[in-house]
Amino acid sequence: MNLINETHDINLTSWVESANTTTDFPIQNLPFAVFRRKGSSEAFRGGVAIGDQVVDLAVVDAANIFSGLAQEAVHAANAPSLNEFMGMGQAHWSALRLALSQALRTGSAHQASFEAALIAQADIEFSLPCRIGDYTDFYTSIYHATAVGRLFRPDNPLLPNYKWVPIGYHGRSSSIDVSGQTFHRPNGQTKAPDAEIPSFGPCKRLDYELELGIYLGKGNKLGDAIAIEDAENHVFGLCVFNDWSARDLQAWEYQPLGPFLAKNFASTVSPWIVTTEALAPFKTNWHRDENDPQPLSYLDSTANREAGAFDIQMDVLLESEKMRTEGTPASKLSQSSFKHSYWTVAQMVTHHTVNGCNFLPGDMLGSGTQSGPEHEEAGSMLELSRGGKESITLNNGETRTFLNDGDKVIMRGWCEKDGFKRIGFGSVEGTILPAK
Amino acid sequence: MNLINETHDINLTSWVESANTTTDFPIQNLPFAVFRRKGSSEAFRGGVAIGDQVVDLAVVDAANIFSGLAQEAVHAANAPSLNEFMGMGQAHWSALRLALSQALRTGSAHQASFEAALIAQADIEFSLPCRIGDYTDFYTSIYHATAVGRLFRPDNPLLPNYKWVPIGYHGRSSSIDVSGQTFHRPNGQTKAPDAEIPSFGPCKRLDYELELGIYLGKGNKLGDAIAIEDAENHVFGLCVFNDWSARDLQAWEYQPLGPFLAKNFASTVSPWIVTTEALAPFKTNWHRDENDPQPLSYLDSTANREAGAFDIQMDVLLESEKMRTEGTPASKLSQSSFKHSYWTVAQMVTHHTVNGCNFLPGDMLGSGTQSGPEHEEAGSMLELSRGGKESITLNNGETRTFLNDGDKVIMRGWCEKDGFKRIGFGSVEGTILPAK
């Protein structure tokens, strides 16, 4: 599937001036969210980012400017959740993207009608873009798996299945919310290594995980595996995702069935879904090191090694309560890229369904913490602080091993490549309140 | 919370004669399902079992016979999924139960109107009773945990956290279906102990797990833990649940994040939800052996040790293709009871939310495989065949270590106690098709 087309042309400009400056949302991006005017009781509906504005898809739908698949798609996206639109598949997604690209281009005949559909992003609030039926978290960074494995199992950091199986586990959907989420530090059971028995109280090792969220579009029937060659067609788009983690709860509870309360108290997605079509230019030539086992054939897209392999850069910043009081900017903690991932999005999708498991539109996969090969590229504080043993110094001189109450964590994502316009994901932010 | 009232009276009889004979569904039970006439394209709607009949709640709603909370409840249950009704809480559930009990009693003034609402269970088909947003599987049988632990980790069968933490993990909702489910034997990666590398193909060690399914009724807000004293008020009812498992996939994939593809290809619930109110007489006096650690205080309902501790008997039968051809009855494999569970339903609910995790109405918990203390009471073939080492002989002389294609697994549940009418759960059935 080669989706690169006129909508990616670096020379395209928009009559929305802010889209032509430094922005996450040039006309080459066109990500989707669900929104309404801030503080209003309007119905939530689909919107598309362009510069510092959002295109209100309810207005575009009502104006009936588009035709065919594009009009069907915009009508479906005029809803409080994008599941129906996401379930329509690539032909509808592409048709709407092209229609929006054409309507927002400099010189478009639709400029007047579209001006009526613009709302400043500063004036809106978001909801989750879709109902996330099931959410699965993968573990695709071998650097993260090795570093964390070393802390939990010093003698056995990387387990023998890692290089064969895209390891994943089911997560909790109900506690996923959109950027801006605040939550109380979780309580739970922990057991200090030197303690006889566990104790109960607030988590002492609260952490973030820097991840991508991957939204399924078209689902599959129970029993029907999705072939690796077809996997990309099922993926609607990606967001930035913070998989908050309570490390001390995790260490005590995770054997033998995996993390549970350490993960399900809160998870936060960025509001905008950047479509796989917008990401098409940023694929990387995925390959497996010759010293590593080659993937089993069901996971090996020999015809298209780039399938679902994206170079998406991501960083994470921490803004403490003190920084907010003093007006100090947030402190950058690390930066990495999904290009380091051991498994591609296509491999995750195919592996997940190879046993017949079914996806529904709007289901989400987490990529797992995206740590790069260097220590400075680690996607969690557990890794940056080497299990809490080394303190991390922030911009303003404060230090951390794990997160404090009042800390706001900010994650961002973007793609850059010669010959293409930089496109961004916006950010996902979340703030920790004291334990109840 | 003492829910025992006139609806449990052993002397109650119904004008529906089949409810007064040997049945899972006497007037003291009144479980809920979602159904329509078999093979029809009618809308699915709520129904209540009475003897061999179902009360069509759409007809009862339209007849407007009830008043107050009972009418509100029956109106909400007249829907393709029971989530709204389940979210109303105990006052509505009790009011509807009482109204139905009175209307179905011998001598009821409503007999004529209710006769019009009866459909023979032989003539209906079921759907899932509600949208299951999130599903969590627990691991509450210490006998199962020890037996399985011994197979996966001979040196370390029961992990140190087991007696402190009600171990659970998130499962997959999308592949849960109602009794009658058929599914293809899953494909996947496995690695034989003596093999150098893994291979791909059909599961060779396909198993069932004998469980209870626990449906949440009233949810909780993200951040608000449910106290152990309040936990029962959040539980709408229980069903019998088959958590199909692919043991060879599980052995290779489950470390370090838990079972994944070994579990998410299919899970099957019985159609009827037996309410916690119907189960109220069958609570047991839960206690922890004095040699074991006492639960941490958040898990210890000292005021009501019976909270969520039910004596529910369950058995499992296997019907092979050969038995169907020959007309041989299904072969009973084992029988156990939830009274052996190390953790109660109330403890599961409270533990799950102690970190602030939120439940939504219709969310489901699996109890985990309910194996009793004796080998013959094991709730899985993995245990009965001692990890596939001993073959299990069926009624008709066939043998098994794990499930064959064409095997139908049947699980049943029921409660019995002196002074109370026996109530049943009906059955959950599922059949294995060959791998694709």
Side-chain angles (χ1 to χ4, degrees):
Chain A
M1 185 176 59
N2 183 3
L3 286 172
I4 301 180
N5 55 44
E6 65 173 84
T7 65
H8 300 97
D9 185 344
I10 193 171
N11 297 312
L12 285 185
T13 57
S14 174
W15 51 261
V16 180
E17 278 307 325
S18 59
N20 306 323
T21 59
T22 304
T23 173
D24 275 353
F25 310 118
I27 192 167
Q28 291 80 1
N29 192 348
L30 304 175
F32 290 83
V34 165
F35 80 100
R36 66 179 177 191
R37 280 185 181 79
K38 205 179 277 180
S40 77
S41 54
E42 293 175 351
F44 281 102
R45 68 275 189 184
V48 169
I50 180 79
D52 61 8
Q53 305 287 304
V54 59
V55 180
D56 184 342
L57 295 183
V59 175
V60 177
D61 177 26
N64 213 18
I65 296 166
F66 296 157
S67 60
L69 299 188
Q71 181 59 31
E72 289 172 20
V74 80
H75 183 65
N78 175 16
S81 80
L82 297 178
N83 298 69
E84 185 191 339
F85 167 53
M86 294 163 78
M88 288 175 144
Q90 188 64 56
H92 279 87
W93 309 336
S94 289
L96 181 54
R97 176 178 165 86
L98 180 60
L100 288 166
S101 172
Q102 289 170 339
L104 291 164
R105 276 177 213 172
T106 308
S108 157
H110 290 312
Q111 179 171 344
S113 347
F114 263 70
E115 276 171 347
L118 294 186
I119 304 174
Q121 286 173 31
D123 296 336
I124 66 171
E125 62 189 13
F126 297 101
S127 76
L128 280 180
C130 59
R131 291 182 312 277
I132 301 171
D134 278 298
Y135 147 56
T136 294
D137 201 22
F138 279 90
Y139 196 55
T140 66
S141 164
I142 196 168
Y143 307 107
H144 172 71
T146 306
V148 171
R150 191 170 292 128
L151 296 168
F152 283 80
R153 297 174 305 277
D155 49 331
N156 195 15
L158 195 69
L159 295 170
N161 56 10
Y162 189 87
K163 292 184 175 182
W164 296 98
V165 180
I167 296 289
Y169 67 111
H170 300 116
R172 180 92 192 165
S173 299
S174 69
S175 49
I176 302 177
D177 206 349
V178 74
S179 185
Q181 186 175 28
T182 59
F183 61 89
H184 294 275
R185 176 180 295 271
N187 290 308
Q189 275 194 47
T190 55
K191 187 177 159 301
D194 54 347
E196 283 274 308
I197 62 168
S199 59
F200 179 80
C203 164
K204 294 191 183 77
R205 293 160 74 96
L206 187 58
D207 201 356
Y208 60 79
E209 291 196 333
L210 177 64
E211 302 201 14
L212 289 172
I214 297 145
Y215 286 100
L216 272 296
K218 211 172 56 176
N220 61 309
K221 247 182 66 186
L222 189 68
D224 287 353
I226 297 175
I228 187 88
E229 292 75 18
D230 190 34
E232 273 195 339
N233 296 320
H234 289 263
V235 179
F236 176 71
L238 278 66
C239 71
V240 184
F241 178 54
N242 186 346
D243 180 27
W244 304 93
S245 298
R247 301 300 182 189
D248 42 357
L249 276 61
Q250 186 175 350
W252 175 230
E253 75 171 1
Y254 92 105
Q255 283 189 315
L257 301 180
F260 178 46
L261 299 192
K263 297 282 190 169
N264 65 13
F265 54 90
S267 317
T268 320
V269 294
S270 59
W272 298 105
I273 308 180
V274 178
T275 64
T276 34
E277 188 165 356
L279 295 170
F282 305 99
K283 292 200 203 169
T284 63
N285 187 14
W286 183 90
H287 69 285
R288 185 66 81 228
D289 273 4
E290 55 185 20
N291 297 325
D292 273 359
Q294 297 305 300
L296 293 183
S297 64
Y298 79 96
L299 291 173
D300 200 355
S301 179
T302 46
N304 177 13
R305 278 296 180 91
E306 296 187 347
F310 301 106
D311 181 6
I312 299 169
Q313 300 187 63
M314 309 160 74
D315 67 4
V316 54
L317 301 95
L318 191 154
E319 181 190 88
S320 68
E321 211 153 1
K322 189 153 177 272
M323 290 173 191
R324 280 196 293 283
T325 312
E326 291 173 353
T328 323
S331 187
K332 183 158 167 166
L333 298 179
S334 73
Q335 180 173 329
S336 184
S337 167
F338 184 65
K339 76 177 176 191
H340 299 303
S341 174
Y342 201 80
W343 300 104
T344 67
V345 170
Q347 288 169 327
M348 290 184 237
V349 166
T350 292
H351 181 67
H352 204 310
T353 63
V354 75
N355 65 346
C357 181
N358 58 328
F359 284 129
L360 297 172
D363 285 349
M364 199 180 93
L365 311 179
S367 64
T369 310
Q370 292 305 304
S371 299
E374 304 302 325
H375 178 70
E376 297 70 34
E377 295 169 313
S380 71
M381 294 182 94
L382 180 70
E383 292 159 88
L384 289 173
S385 71
R386 301 188 196 274
K389 291 200 196 93
E390 292 179 11
S391 79
I392 304 157
T393 304
L394 309 179
N395 276 351
N396 67 343
E398 285 183 272
T399 60
R400 292 286 184 280
T401 47
F402 291 96
L403 293 166
N404 284 7
D405 292 346
D407 284 352
K408 177 192 278 189
V409 175
I410 303 158
M411 297 174 176
R412 304 180 296 196
W414 67 93
C415 295
E416 285 175 322
K417 188 179 187 175
D418 280 352
F420 291 94
K421 195 86 179 176
R422 175 191 182 280
I423 68 165
F425 283 71
S427 68
V428 52
E429 306 186 357
T431 306
I432 296 150
L433 307 175
K436 275 196 179 175
Chain B
M1 186 174 58
N2 183 4
L3 286 173
I4 301 181
N5 55 44
E6 64 172 85
T7 64
H8 300 98
D9 186 345
I10 193 171
N11 297 312
L12 285 185
T13 57
S14 173
W15 50 262
V16 181
E17 279 306 324
S18 59
N20 305 324
T21 59
T22 303
T23 173
D24 275 354
F25 309 120
I27 192 167
Q28 290 81 0
N29 191 348
L30 303 176
F32 289 84
V34 165
F35 79 101
R36 67 179 176 191
R37 279 185 182 78
K38 205 179 278 180
S40 77
S41 55
E42 293 175 351
F44 281 103
R45 68 276 189 183
V48 170
I50 181 80
D52 61 8
Q53 304 289 304
V54 58
V55 179
D56 184 342
L57 295 183
V59 176
V60 177
D61 177 26
N64 213 19
I65 296 167
F66 296 157
S67 60
L69 298 189
Q71 181 58 32
E72 289 172 19
V74 80
H75 184 64
N78 175 16
S81 80
L82 297 178
N83 298 70
E84 185 191 338
F85 167 53
M86 293 163 78
M88 287 175 145
Q90 189 63 57
H92 279 86
W93 307 337
S94 289
L96 181 54
R97 175 179 165 83
L98 180 60
L100 288 166
S101 172
Q102 289 171 340
L104 291 164
R105 276 177 212 172
T106 308
S108 157
H110 290 313
Q111 179 171 345
S113 348
F114 263 69
E115 275 171 349
L118 293 186
I119 304 174
Q121 286 173 31
D123 297 335
I124 66 170
E125 62 189 14
F126 298 100
S127 75
L128 279 179
C130 59
R131 290 184 311 277
I132 301 172
D134 278 298
Y135 148 55
T136 294
D137 200 23
F138 278 89
Y139 196 55
T140 66
S141 163
I142 195 167
Y143 307 107
H144 172 71
T146 306
V148 171
R150 190 170 293 127
L151 296 169
F152 283 80
R153 297 174 305 276
D155 49 331
N156 196 15
L158 195 70
L159 295 170
N161 56 10
Y162 189 86
K163 292 185 174 181
W164 296 98
V165 180
I167 296 290
Y169 68 111
H170 301 115
R172 180 92 191 165
S173 299
S174 69
S175 49
I176 302 177
D177 205 349
V178 74
S179 185
Q181 186 174 29
T182 60
F183 61 89
H184 294 275
R185 176 180 296 272
N187 289 309
Q189 274 194 48
T190 55
K191 187 177 159 298
D194 54 346
E196 282 274 309
I197 63 168
S199 59
F200 179 80
C203 164
K204 293 191 184 76
R205 293 161 72 96
L206 187 58
D207 201 356
Y208 60 79
E209 292 197 331
L210 177 65
E211 303 201 14
L212 289 172
I214 299 145
Y215 286 100
L216 271 295
K218 212 173 55 176
N220 60 308
K221 247 181 67 185
L222 190 68
D224 287 353
I226 297 176
I228 187 86
E229 291 75 18
D230 190 34
E232 273 195 340
N233 296 319
H234 289 264
V235 179
F236 176 70
L238 278 67
C239 70
V240 184
F241 178 54
N242 186 345
D243 181 27
W244 305 94
S245 298
R247 300 302 180 187
D248 41 358
L249 276 62
Q250 186 175 350
W252 175 232
E253 76 171 0
Y254 92 104
Q255 285 190 313
L257 300 181
F260 177 45
L261 299 192
K263 297 282 190 168
N264 65 13
F265 54 90
S267 317
T268 320
V269 294
S270 59
W272 298 105
I273 309 179
V274 178
T275 63
T276 33
E277 189 165 355
L279 295 170
F282 305 98
K283 292 199 204 168
T284 63
N285 187 14
W286 183 90
H287 70 284
R288 185 65 82 227
D289 272 3
E290 55 186 20
N291 297 326
D292 273 359
Q294 297 304 300
L296 292 183
S297 64
Y298 79 96
L299 290 172
D300 200 355
S301 179
T302 47
N304 176 15
R305 278 294 180 90
E306 296 187 347
F310 302 104
D311 180 6
I312 300 169
Q313 300 186 63
M314 309 160 74
D315 66 6
V316 54
L317 301 95
L318 191 154
E319 181 189 87
S320 68
E321 212 153 359
K322 189 151 177 273
M323 290 174 192
R324 280 196 293 282
T325 311
E326 293 175 351
T328 324
S331 188
K332 184 158 166 167
L333 298 178
S334 72
Q335 181 173 328
S336 184
S337 166
F338 184 64
K339 76 178 176 190
H340 298 304
S341 174
Y342 200 79
W343 300 102
T344 68
V345 170
Q347 287 170 328
M348 291 184 234
V349 166
T350 292
H351 181 67
H352 203 311
T353 62
V354 75
N355 66 346
C357 181
N358 58 327
F359 283 129
L360 297 173
D363 285 349
M364 199 180 91
L365 311 179
S367 64
T369 309
Q370 292 305 304
S371 300
E374 305 302 324
H375 178 69
E376 297 70 34
E377 295 169 315
S380 71
M381 294 181 94
L382 180 70
E383 292 158 88
L384 289 173
S385 72
R386 301 189 196 273
K389 291 199 196 94
E390 293 178 10
S391 79
I392 304 157
T393 304
L394 308 179
N395 275 352
N396 67 343
E398 287 184 272
T399 59
R400 292 285 183 281
T401 47
F402 291 98
L403 293 167
N404 284 7
D405 293 345
D407 284 353
K408 177 191 277 189
V409 175
I410 303 157
M411 296 174 176
R412 305 180 293 197
W414 66 93
C415 295
E416 285 176 321
K417 188 179 188 175
D418 281 351
F420 291 94
K421 195 86 179 177
R422 175 190 182 280
I423 68 165
F425 283 70
S427 69
V428 53
E429 307 186 357
T431 306
I432 296 150
L433 307 175
K436 275 196 177 175

